[in-house]
Amino acid sequence: MAVSINGKVLNETLYMNPSKPPNGKNPLSKLWIGRATIYEYQDITDPVTHQTTQQEVAVVNDEPCRLSYNFEQSTNISNGAAVVSQSIKLFIRPDLVIKPGSVIEISQHGVTQKYKGSGSPAVYCNHQEITLELYD
């Protein structure tokens, strides 16, 4: 079945399944200029003391991604002070499973910062969006 718009025949594979374009590459990945390392807390047993502790362990390294920032400014009526809030959103490939509580270290534009995920990811056919908070 050929699909056409304004007389132009579209690539049927791309039209029917946008997450798997014919060349196998995600078109959004060209915008992913950052790199992410994802850490999860796992039980690690000390071989000498045999004590088990929770430690951050890298489960994904050097994953292409992109950070997006949104600033909102509001003024508090009672004291007239301006309050600026910032939301940080991570764009990354959709098949990557990032568990709640994971720590995500992202390098973008020469700046490396650690974040923690908040809430469930919004998963789309060719990316997922995760709202982040700065990691203390």
Side-chain angles (χ1 to χ4, degrees):
M1 174 179 147
V3 178
S4 65
I5 296 178
N6 295 335
K8 292 185 179 183
V9 177
L10 299 177
N11 183 316
E12 187 174 333
T13 306
L14 182 60
Y15 178 77
M16 300 306 270
N17 190 353
S19 67
K20 295 191 187 262
N23 64 2
K25 294 186 179 181
N26 182 342
L28 290 179
S29 65
K30 290 184 179 189
L31 301 173
W32 296 345
I33 57 175
R35 295 287 178 189
T37 299
I38 301 169
Y39 299 91
E40 292 177 358
Y41 284 98
Q42 296 181 356
D43 290 335
I44 305 294
T45 303
D46 186 306
V48 176
T49 64
H50 302 288
Q51 289 185 329
T52 302
T53 58
Q54 290 261 318
Q55 295 180 11
E56 283 183 11
V57 177
V59 293
V60 176
N61 288 304
D62 204 33
E63 182 68 34
C65 65
R66 184 179 184 98
L67 282 178
S68 175
Y69 302 92
N70 185 23
F71 296 94
E72 296 177 9
Q73 183 172 347
S74 62
T75 304
N76 186 332
I77 301 298
S78 62
N79 64 9
V83 176
V84 178
S85 65
Q86 176 186 38
S87 66
I88 306 165
K89 195 173 284 190
L90 172 67
F91 295 82
I92 200 161
R93 67 183 165 100
D95 59 329
L96 193 61
V97 177
I98 301 176
K99 294 181 181 177
S102 296
V103 175
I104 306 166
E105 183 178 70
I106 301 170
S107 296
Q108 183 172 294
H109 298 302
V111 177
T112 301
Q113 181 69 49
K114 279 189 171 184
Y115 302 91
K116 58 184 175 181
S118 64
S120 299
V123 181
Y124 300 97
C125 61
N126 43 10
H127 75 285
Q128 65 177 304
E129 300 175 10
I130 303 169
T131 304
L132 300 176
E133 297 175 359
L134 284 173
Y135 182 71
D136 299 327

